[in-house]
Amino acid sequence: MEWLQVMVQSTIVMTFIGCVFSYFILRPLNVSIQKLDKSVEKLGERSQMMDLRLVKVEESTKSAHHRIDHLEESITERR
């Protein structure tokens, strides 16, 4: 019977320690992980937007070079 009391008391203490650990350690970690996940998601969205902008700039640059080359050819032909 005495071992049963020790087991019950041990279980109560372990449960209390588990709850304290969960509340003061795991809960803040979970909140931090969720915030970090949102930040990473926003960073991914920004990266995609930057990729799209970079593609547009490259296309615009190619077009500008084409126009410049055409103008240079026109000027050379007139000389």
Side-chain angles (χ1 to χ4, degrees):
M1 211 53 172
E2 192 174 305
W3 63 273
L4 184 61
Q5 288 177 342
V6 170
M7 292 287 281
V8 169
Q9 289 174 352
S10 297
T11 302
I12 291 171
V13 169
M14 295 293 268
T15 302
F16 176 75
I17 291 172
C19 289
V20 169
F21 180 78
S22 175
Y23 185 78
F24 287 107
I25 304 295
L26 296 180
R27 186 171 173 224
L29 279 176
N30 190 29
V31 170
S32 296
I33 289 170
Q34 288 174 352
K35 288 180 181 179
L36 183 61
D37 187 41
K38 288 179 183 177
S39 295
V40 168
E41 187 176 315
K42 286 181 182 179
L43 184 61
E45 290 172 1
R46 286 182 181 172
S47 177
Q48 287 178 347
M49 289 173 54
M50 293 289 272
D51 287 345
L52 291 174
R53 290 178 66 189
L54 181 61
V55 167
K56 288 181 182 179
V57 168
E58 288 175 343
E59 289 173 354
S60 176
T61 303
K62 283 182 184 179
S63 177
H65 279 287
H66 180 71
R67 288 192 306 269
I68 291 169
D69 290 343
H70 182 71
L71 287 172
E72 285 178 347
E73 287 175 8
S74 296
I75 292 171
T76 304
E77 288 176 359
R78 289 183 184 174
R79 286 185 182 177

